[in-house]
Amino acid sequence: MRLRLVKDETSFDFFSRWKLWLGISAVMMVVAFGSFMVQGLNFGIDFRGGTTIRTESPRPVDIGEYRGAIDPLELGDITITEIFDPTFGPDENVAMIRIQAQDDQEAVSAELITAVQEALRTVRPDIEFVSVESVGPKVSGELIQTAVIAVALAIAAVLVYIWLRFEWQFALGAVLALVHDVVLTIGVFSEIQIRFDLAIIAALLTIVGYSLNDTVVVFDRVRENLRKYKKRPLKEVLNLSINETLSRTIMTSLTTLLALVSLYVLGGDVIRGFVFAMIWGVIVGTYSSIFVASAILLYLGVKRDWSKPDANAGTQFSNVDA
């Protein structure tokens, strides 16, 4: 007996209020953009600048112990990570401590670095400080620019890919859905003021790929059904296609969310921001594949060109749900 979250054949009408769904998405994007303009993002050390202290100890790294020693100094955003390397010996336990710049200074002052070192020595007298490096505002500005370019290029590549594989209406629907996902993710980070660092940029690029995969599966089925049901209105074809891929969409999203929620609960503070971005991205990505990308395709319409020599070209895998 198999567990079924969705019946094999469903007949939900996803487009009875498609204008309402597009309106809700537009409002959420405006709110997200407004929050970004008013509050901005809580940039981490990667984008704000700061100082990195590399430590080494013969005893295993205890991140909680390190953080408990440093927190009374009230230095703001502090990230502590253990460095693993197969070349390290049993007495080489290395940690990386990253401290944000204080009061818009280029780096943490020498006095504060000394205070951090003394605080750590109170809990680890045998600790050694291997190196101290600073990230200035110029480098941070370059990282922000590079991150924006990376996300923009990813979305542009998606536009070209979908345009070549399908038609321009499909490409525009998919890209607007991706922009929707990225804007809402940045907006929720602005609203909640969760630390925004390079790991979140990696999450954004992963969200783009995840959402695109879901959208392409739906669009493949739409293209197949457009050729199969030549007389049906586009709205009916879209509804049929989404219902046929609904089981795959829900199962993929739920299994991904199960892993992500486990990481969020058990993974610790270091990756919590990244995992939160992924959880949010999976939710909005699944939503946008159905209620944004497909609704935009319904609005734009699509040309049914039956003059091609092979009407089934490019659809040989369209009946595969994986």
Side-chain angles (χ1 to χ4, degrees):
M1 182 176 181
R2 293 187 300 168
L3 174 65
R4 295 183 182 276
L5 297 179
V6 180
K7 295 187 297 184
D8 287 337
E9 295 182 4
T10 59
S11 56
F12 298 113
D13 186 358
F14 293 99
F15 298 98
S16 59
R17 298 181 179 178
W18 64 274
K19 292 182 180 180
L20 174 63
W21 296 119
L22 284 182
I24 291 173
S25 295
V27 170
M28 289 192 298
M29 290 179 68
V30 170
V31 171
F33 184 76
S35 176
F36 174 76
M37 296 300 295
V38 174
Q39 295 189 121
L41 294 170
N42 180 22
F43 287 117
I45 296 171
D46 296 327
F47 297 127
R48 187 182 296 174
T51 297
T52 299
I53 302 174
R54 186 183 178 98
T55 70
E56 186 175 316
S57 173
R59 288 189 290 163
V61 174
D62 187 332
I63 294 177
E65 184 181 58
Y66 285 19
R67 187 177 296 278
I70 298 174
D71 279 348
L73 299 177
E74 298 182 352
L75 299 179
D77 183 15
I78 298 177
T79 302
I80 304 174
T81 55
E82 184 176 0
I83 307 300
F84 296 96
D85 193 307
T87 62
F88 289 167
D91 294 334
E92 293 179 290
N93 299 284
V94 179
M96 195 74 72
I97 302 171
R98 310 171 83 180
I99 307 170
Q100 71 176 30
Q102 307 293 306
D103 300 325
D104 297 327
Q105 296 178 5
E106 182 169 345
V108 178
S109 66
E111 291 79 8
L112 283 178
I113 293 175
T114 302
V116 170
Q117 293 174 343
E118 291 177 352
L120 289 173
R121 285 196 179 100
T122 60
V123 295
R124 285 290 177 90
D126 55 358
I127 196 169
E128 295 182 6
F129 300 96
V130 180
S131 64
V132 178
E133 299 177 352
S134 296
V135 177
K138 182 178 179 180
V139 175
S140 301
E142 292 174 354
L143 286 175
I144 294 175
Q145 183 180 5
T146 303
V148 172
I149 292 174
V151 175
L153 288 178
I155 294 177
V158 168
L159 175 64
V160 175
Y161 167 73
I162 300 294
W163 198 328
L164 292 175
R165 183 168 179 178
F166 299 95
E167 302 292 340
W168 69 267
Q169 296 95 331
F170 290 89
L172 189 57
V175 167
L176 289 178
L178 295 181
V179 172
H180 166 273
D181 299 342
V182 171
V183 170
L184 290 191
T185 303
I186 293 176
V188 77
F189 270 79
S190 174
E191 286 282 353
I192 306 178
Q193 288 293 292
I194 301 176
R195 186 173 65 245
F196 193 92
D197 51 25
L198 284 177
I200 309 306
I201 299 300
L204 288 176
L205 294 175
T206 307
I207 289 168
V208 168
Y210 180 91
S211 180
L212 174 64
N213 176 68
D214 204 20
T215 302
V216 167
V217 169
V218 174
F219 280 180
D220 261 335
R221 188 58 59 90
V222 170
R223 182 172 57 179
E224 177 194 16
N225 286 334
L226 283 172
R227 286 172 170 158
K228 186 184 296 184
Y229 305 106
K230 301 178 183 180
K231 302 294 185 179
R232 284 195 180 188
L234 179 58
K235 179 179 177 181
E236 291 185 14
V237 173
L238 287 171
N239 261 322
L240 175 64
S241 302
I242 294 174
N243 276 287
E244 287 178 346
T245 57
L246 187 61
S247 177
R248 180 262 178 202
T249 298
I250 291 179
M251 288 302 298
T252 302
S253 299
L254 283 181
T255 51
T256 305
L257 285 173
L258 284 175
L260 290 173
V261 170
S262 299
L263 280 174
Y264 185 82
V265 175
L266 304 173
D269 183 66
V270 175
I271 63 171
R272 189 156 289 152
F274 172 84
V275 177
F276 175 81
M278 287 298 303
I279 291 173
W280 175 258
V282 169
I283 294 172
V284 298
T286 303
Y287 165 84
S288 68
S289 297
I290 298 174
F291 294 105
V292 177
S294 299
I296 291 173
L297 183 60
L298 176 62
Y299 175 76
L300 295 174
V302 60
K303 180 181 178 181
R304 304 188 186 190
D305 184 7
W306 312 113
S307 61
K308 296 179 181 179
D310 183 3
N312 294 316
T315 65
Q316 62 267 38
F317 304 113
S318 58
N319 63 337
V320 180
D321 288 341

